[in-house]
C-alpha cells in the first residue's frame, strides 16, 4: 500500500504542476494578446479554448483523488474470503467425503442420505468464495492499473504544458505555445475519459459476476 500511496502522491503533484503550467499559458497568452494584439498571432477563441480545456482537465482529474480506492483493503478482504470461507468449506466437504467411506450401519445410512446435499452445498460455497476472492483481487489490480496509467498521462501532460508555458512566455512563440497547450490538454482529456470508461466497465463486470454468484447461492439455500 505504501507503493500505491506513493503513486497517488506523485500523480497529485503532477496534476498540480500541470495546472500551474496551464495557468501560466493562459496568463501569458492573454497578456500578449492584449499588449501586442494581432502581431502575436493569438486569437481570443484560441486563448479561451486553452482556458476551457485546462478547467475541464482539472475538473475531470481532481475528484478522483478524493476517492482513489484502496487496493490493499480489497486484497485483504479477498484473503479473508479465501482463508475464512473457501478453505473451511473445502475442508468440511472433504471431511464428509471421508466419513462416507468409513462409516457403516443404519445410522450411517440415514446420515449419508443428507451428506450428499451437504457436500454439494459446501462445494458451491467454496466455489462462490473462491470466485469472490478472485474478483476482489482483480478489482484491486484494476485500481492500481488505472492510477498507473493516469499517472503516466499526467506526467505527459505536465511535461507538454511545461514546454507550452515556456513558449507562451515569448511573444514570438506565444501562439504556438497556446496551440501546443490546447493539443496536450485535449489529448489528456481523451485518455483520461477512456481510462475512466475502462475502469467503470471492469467494475461493472466484476460486480455483475459477483451478484450472479451470490444470487445462485441464495436460490439454492446456501
Amino acid at each position: 500500500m505504501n507503493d500505491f500511496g506513493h503513486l497517488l502522491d506523485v500523480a497529485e503533484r503532477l496534476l498540480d504542476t500541470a495546472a500551474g503550467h496551464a495557468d501560466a499559458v493562459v496568463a501569458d497568452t492573454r497578456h500578449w494578446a492584449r499588449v501586442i494584439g494581432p502581431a502575436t498571432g493569438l486569437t481570443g477563441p484560441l486563448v479561451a479554448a486553452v482556458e476551457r480545456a485546462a478547467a475541464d482537465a482539472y475538473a475531470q482529474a481532481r475528484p478522483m483523488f478524493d476517492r482513489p480506492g484502496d487496493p490493499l483493503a480489497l486484497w485483504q478482504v479477498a484473503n479473508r474470503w479465501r482463508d475464512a470461507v473457501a478453505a473451511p468449506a473445502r475442508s468440511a466437504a472433504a471431511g464428509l467425503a471421508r466419513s462416507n467411506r468409513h462409516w457403516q450401519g443404519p445410522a450411517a445410512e440415514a446420515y449419508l442420505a443428507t451428506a450428499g446435499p451437504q457436500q454439494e452445498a459446501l462445494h458451491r460455497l467454496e466455489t462462490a468464495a473462491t470466485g469472490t476472492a478472485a474478483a476482489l483481487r482483480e478489482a484491486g489490480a484494476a485500481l492500481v492499473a488505472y492510477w498507473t496509467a493516469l499517472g503516466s498521462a499526467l506526467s505527459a501532460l505536465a511535461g507538454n504544458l511545461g514546454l507550452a508555458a515556456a513558449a507562451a512566455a515569448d511573444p514570438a512563440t506565444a501562439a504556438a505555445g497556446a496551440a501546443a497547450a490546447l493539443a496536450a490538454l485535449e489529448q489528456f482529456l481523451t485518455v483520461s475519459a477512456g481510462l475512466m470508461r475502462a475502469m467503470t466497465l471492469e467494475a461493472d463486470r466484476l460486480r455483475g459476476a459477483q451478484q450472479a454468484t451470490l444470487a445462485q447461492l441464495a436460490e439454492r439455500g446456501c
Side-chain angles (χ1 to χ4, degrees):
M1 187 60 187
N2 288 338
D3 290 342
F4 184 68
H6 177 69
L7 177 62
L8 292 179
D9 289 342
V10 170
E12 190 166 21
R13 286 197 297 272
L14 287 168
L15 176 61
D16 291 339
T17 298
H21 289 324
D23 288 344
V25 171
V26 170
D28 285 341
T29 52
R30 281 190 184 282
H31 171 74
W32 296 126
R34 183 176 62 254
V35 172
I36 303 177
T40 61
L42 290 168
T43 64
L46 174 59
V47 178
V50 173
E51 187 171 29
R52 185 168 53 252
D56 289 345
Y58 192 81
Q60 188 177 92
R62 179 69 257 179
M64 296 304 301
F65 290 91
D66 297 330
R67 300 180 65 182
D70 189 345
L72 179 59
L74 290 170
W75 290 327
Q76 288 173 337
V77 174
N79 290 340
R80 287 198 291 272
W81 273 98
R82 180 195 64 199
D83 299 336
V85 181
R90 181 169 58 252
S91 178
L96 284 173
R98 287 192 296 272
S99 68
N100 290 353
R101 291 195 299 269
H102 302 297
W103 196 10
Q104 303 295 325
E109 292 176 4
Y111 171 75
L112 292 176
T114 64
Q118 290 180 59
Q119 279 184 282
E120 183 182 353
L122 287 166
H123 285 311
R124 286 199 301 267
L125 179 58
E126 179 194 356
T127 298
T130 301
T132 298
L136 289 166
R137 285 193 294 272
E138 289 176 28
L143 270 177
V144 173
Y146 168 80
W147 280 104
T148 300
L150 185 64
S152 295
L154 285 168
S155 178
L157 177 64
N160 289 331
L161 287 179
L163 294 174
D170 185 333
T173 56
L182 181 59
L185 288 162
E186 289 178 340
Q187 181 181 31
F188 173 78
L189 284 166
T190 299
V191 171
S192 177
L195 290 173
M196 179 53 66
R197 282 194 299 272
M199 184 65 191
T200 300
L201 288 172
E202 179 65 5
D204 288 345
R205 181 188 72 80
L206 294 170
R207 187 182 303 111
Q210 188 55 33
Q211 288 173 343
T213 298
L214 294 176
Q216 290 175 357
L217 287 175
E219 288 173 2
R220 295 172 181 175
C222 293

